[in-house]
Amino acid sequence: MAASTSIVKRLLVGRPFRSDRLGRELLPKRLALPIFASDPLSSVTYATQEILLILSLGGLAFFHLAPWVAAAVVVLLVVVVLSYRQVVQAYPSGGGSYEVASKNLGRSAGLVVAGALLVDYIMTVAVSVAAGVDNIISAIPALNAYRIPLNIGFIVVLTTLNLRGVRESGRAFAIPTYLFVAGVLLMIVVGFAQTLAGSAPVAESAGWSIQPEEVGLSGLVLVFLVLRAFSSGCTALTGAEAISNGVPAFRKPKGLNAARTMTAMGVLSIVMFSGITVLAMISQVRVAENTCDLIGFTGNCQTDPQRTVIAQIAAAVFGGGNSVLFYYLQGTAALILILAANTAFNGFPLLASILAQDRYLPRQLHTRGDRLAFSNGIIALAAIAGVLIYVFDGSTTRLIQLYIVGVFTSFTLCQIGMVRHWNRELGNADSRAQRRRIQRGRIINAFGACFTGLVLIVVLLTKFTHGAYLVVIAIPLLYLLMRAIHRHYQQVHDELSPDEPSSLLPSRVHALVLVSTLHKPTLRALAFARATRPDSLTAITINIDDAETRELQRQWDEYGIKVPLKVLESPYREITRPVLRYIKHVRGENPRDIVFVYVPEYVVGRWWENVLHNQSALRLKARLRFEPGVMVASVPWQLRASRGRELRRPRNLPGDVRRGISPPGQQEPR
């Protein structure tokens, strides 16, 4: 079983890497961009659509507001990119918003940011994969019935690719990302050229109308609708902070390369988002939250999906829904939306590793796996995102309501923290040029804090009743969980730390060998116990069956074993309780005495054979662990079926922990 599992793992994940190969996993900018920026780059495929879906609640009359809403989103994106350029250069260790908030605003603020980012990364996987499947269904509507299996399947593929290591996943994601960017830019250029030539593209839905769900919107209600559209359009900013968490993965100079990658991401996102929004207005795209509100929709509005905005634009620009370029763009759009989840697959494990190192999450999340990736964090992220996909039926519209809150919580606290950072740096500035640079950074981050804080308030007001309340509940719960984990680790540390050096030895060591039958494992356990030269050595057996006990005593005498055999009565056929009573009796005479219990065990060759052996020993050992002054030693006896399995053992089994550099002379698997 173990061997077959290992073979499957090696086929999917690959052979393990030595720890000293970690430096070779660092990324050049051309690979870092698709790995860390695929989420914001892919968000342009649905950010415009989310704006139009909200405006459609008031009918077509409010679609003319879409460019103004998009312009506000672009301004916000510029502010965030400029702000995070400051972060990656000031804090290149990879903590990102969590590190900035922790060092400048205190641990509590840092944990709020961490909780918000963890939620955001989980939502990134769920929303990106769901949106990618939406684009696949737009091209092939017959797949609508398989929405959830498709979502889960893509998450499994992403998980496997990321478990193979950072560089391998980067190579897998780089080509689709650049193909998508090229396709969108081509669509924008061709669409604008057609418009300037007098033959503007016309969407398939241009002749449709929309039945408004709210009539006569004006005043504060209209303002609220526009603000809600703006908050939905802010999905274009999701994942912008991932680069700040991934700075350690860049090649040197890390901070500068991360800042340049951040700039490239911002420029591409703004150009593509703006171009898609303008083309949506030119081609008169029509979409609605409720498909049945579309007057003129040709399918069954109850079951048939409406085409996405980018699909309608591509069909209009490239000459119909059956053209090669249409399928090219839809294919690359679906692919990058799914691969955009890779931003979270890199950001979540890195952040979880830092939190685990600070003792706010389980230490297992800080351990690198076979391929030098944080495997436990990757698997945990995939599992949680898969559950969300299943619960929300893979619906992008329903999932996206849980988005954004975590993003702007971390944005805002990070910018406030950076303002404090610059205030502190200003006091240590030595030259006028340095003070000017610091003041410029402080102005950028102060403006960013005000802007993102305002957006956070807008998002909370407009999305709270639509599902954002779940995130508002989840972030404090994560905060409390992380504080509880930290408190536990601190209590364990305090309890285990030596008060003062002590050379006090136990008064006496009493060795007990558990005996059920006189066989080779028992004789080995007796030999091992005698080799330790304890102060006293006793073999104990539990009298469950009188005949078996008498037979054991006869064999004991027949073999002439020089160790006394103590029979413990058990009228209720228990094993654990009589042993515990006897151990307490032995230690009761002197609390400084130590009792060493030797437990003979079989080592079987097949996993299912464990069910047939060692069950009583397992229960007893589990209970003895809670007894003070008692140590337990398992004495294994390898059955014939288990012999030779070590020779077939893979170099690294699943779950092996490799923290340091491998011993000299150990060759890397080829």
Side-chain angles (χ1 to χ4, degrees), residues 154-199:
F154 283 124
I155 289 177
V156 171
V157 171
L158 285 169
T159 302
T160 304
L161 286 173
N162 277 278
L163 289 174
R164 293 188 66 87
V166 175
R167 285 184 65 88
E168 288 209 24
S169 64
R171 294 189 188 98
F173 301 152
I175 295 176
T177 301
Y178 289 125
L179 288 176
F180 167 75
V181 170
V184 172
L185 293 178
L186 176 64
M187 180 183 73
I188 293 171
V189 170
V190 173
F192 283 0
Q194 291 173 347
T195 303
L196 292 175
S199 57

Side-chain angles (χ1 to χ4, degrees), residues 418-431:
M418 284 300 295
V419 172
R420 280 202 172 184
H421 165 80
W422 294 127
N423 288 340
R424 188 171 58 253
E425 291 292 309
L426 193 60
N428 301 324
D430 298 327
S431 64

